[in-house]
Amino acid sequence: MNTNEERQRYSREDLAEFEAIIQEKLTNARKEVAFIKETLSRRNDSGTDNTASPTKVLEDGADTAEKESLNQLASRQMKFIQQLENALIRIKNGTYGVCIVTGKLIPKERLRAVPHTQHSIEAKLQRND
């Protein structure tokens, strides 16, 4: 591995572009989590009717499945938010965009598509083997 290649970093301009992409994704993810929590809260508020008809039992089952699905979605979004916040920290400490396996710069196209990644495609493919 070439030491010059290993020490490469993205410019301030590039980092500013990635930071803007990450901030936008963070804003959208946080809005989605807030919406999911609000939806779950409303569902909990409307679940006070304790009638035991067969239709009600089916509705409760569907409602429970939907709540679980919403909780899973919220959990995935929270994990995504954490990954994005970690990427912002890497921007600030100068390690953003460097593959943690190869030490090479991750291509800009990959970072634009997956701004929180820490792996180049070659490192990701090695992991999946």
Side-chain angles (χ1 to χ4, degrees):
M1 203 177 326
N2 182 339
T3 53
N4 287 341
E5 195 173 311
E6 194 176 327
R7 291 173 198 234
Q8 261 185 326
R9 297 282 186 262
Y10 279 111
S11 70
R12 282 195 183 129
E13 293 78 18
D14 289 331
L15 292 177
E17 175 193 345
F18 295 129
E19 186 171 3
I21 291 169
I22 291 167
Q23 290 291 4
E24 182 180 347
K25 288 187 181 287
L26 264 173
T27 299
N28 292 337
R30 287 178 177 140
K31 283 179 187 172
E32 192 166 332
V33 167
F35 177 77
I36 293 167
K37 286 181 177 178
E38 186 181 314
T39 301
L40 284 168
S41 175
R42 269 188 311 214
R43 290 196 182 279
N44 288 338
D45 291 347
S46 66
T48 56
D49 184 13
N50 286 335
T51 57
S53 71
T55 306
K56 179 68 177 152
V57 171
L58 287 173
E59 287 173 6
D60 285 349
D63 195 42
T64 299
E66 191 170 349
K67 283 180 187 174
E68 284 178 20
S69 178
L70 286 170
N71 276 319
Q72 287 175 351
L73 183 60
S75 178
R76 279 195 302 270
Q77 284 298 95
M78 295 297 286
K79 184 178 177 188
F80 182 52
I81 288 168
Q82 185 62 54
Q83 291 170 330
L84 290 169
E85 288 173 343
N86 289 342
L88 288 176
I89 291 168
R90 290 192 301 277
I91 285 174
K92 287 187 182 15
N93 70 21
T95 60
Y96 182 81
V98 179
C99 177
I100 61 174
V101 175
T102 66
K104 296 177 185 174
L105 279 183
I106 300 168
K108 288 181 183 180
E109 301 76 38
R110 176 154 170 75
L111 290 171
R112 286 182 185 118
V114 189
H116 58 283
T117 191
Q118 291 185 273
H119 296 93
S120 62
I121 289 290
E122 67 180 285
K124 186 172 177 5
L125 292 174
Q126 286 172 10
R127 273 188 6 188
N128 291 340
D129 285 345

